[in-house]
Amino acid sequence: VMAVIWTWGGQAALGLPIYIAGTLVPPLLLAIGSADGIHIVGRFYELAAKPGADKKQAIVATMNQLWRPIILTSTTTAAGFGSLALGQMTVYQVFGITTAFGVLTAMIASLFVLPAMLSVLPMSAITPVRAGEDAGEKPTTRLSRFLVGLAERLEGHRTGVLLGSFL
């Protein structure tokens, strides 16, 4: 979301026109930008779940393992979109510039903002399973109860869910 806000703010600040192709930028940035965050949080969960794990050490180890892949994937994706700026059509040039900028902004958020957020949140807020839920007890939050109930109802109708998905 930060990448979308910064991208459209930067586009407005530079006076770049808004074209219909620009409506593709937010969903692209949300999809591309969230991938790095998903990898970071997933690796953090793995490291933090180890017995005796320290949150700070888990964050540092996570970022030590993932900063290179995040930079490489983000810069190559940004370069791919940025190459559209070399074309002749202004629509594609603006789309390429804004999307490349957004991908780099999402990378910066993943490398700096996300680890900072993980460091200030209590472990209870960032662990994937609340205490007791993994022991077969009932979920404690309304959303958890709803989702568990929905999954239980849908589990017996797998074929219907699959067919509905295809439709």
Side-chain angles (χ1 to χ4, degrees):
V1 172
M2 185 179 95
V4 172
I5 293 170
W6 281 29
T7 299
W8 276 8
Q11 186 174 355
L14 293 173
L16 296 173
I18 297 174
Y19 296 105
I20 193 72
T23 61
L24 296 172
V25 173
L28 274 172
L29 292 181
L30 290 174
I32 294 168
S34 65
D36 292 336
I38 290 168
H39 290 295
I40 290 170
V41 172
R43 181 63 52 92
F44 171 75
Y45 283 166
E46 290 173 8
L47 297 175
K50 293 181 179 179
D54 176 58
K55 181 173 74 167
K56 182 180 176 184
Q57 290 174 346
I59 293 169
V60 170
T62 297
M63 297 314 296
N64 278 336
Q65 293 172 13
L66 296 180
W67 72 268
R68 284 180 190 91
I70 288 171
I71 289 175
L72 288 173
T73 58
S74 296
T75 53
T76 55
T77 302
F81 281 114
S83 69
L84 294 172
L86 302 174
Q88 298 297 317
M89 295 183 66
T90 307
V91 174
Y92 296 128
Q93 291 172 338
V94 171
F95 176 76
I97 291 168
T98 55
T99 308
F101 176 79
V103 168
L104 294 175
T105 302
M107 176 189 73
I108 290 168
S110 294
L111 291 174
F112 297 102
V113 177
L114 184 57
M117 289 174 64
L118 289 172
S119 71
V120 297
L121 290 172
M123 280 299 278
S124 61
I126 53 180
T127 51
V129 178
R130 288 193 171 87
E133 286 186 21
D134 58 347
E137 296 178 17
K138 291 287 182 189
T140 56
T141 65
R142 233 183 249 173
L143 178 61
S144 294
R145 286 191 301 269
F146 170 76
L147 293 174
V148 167
L150 179 64
E152 287 171 351
R153 277 182 246 124
L154 293 176
E155 188 174 10
H157 301 64
R158 293 178 184 161
T159 306
V161 170
L162 186 61
L163 289 174
S165 298
F166 282 123
L167 291 176

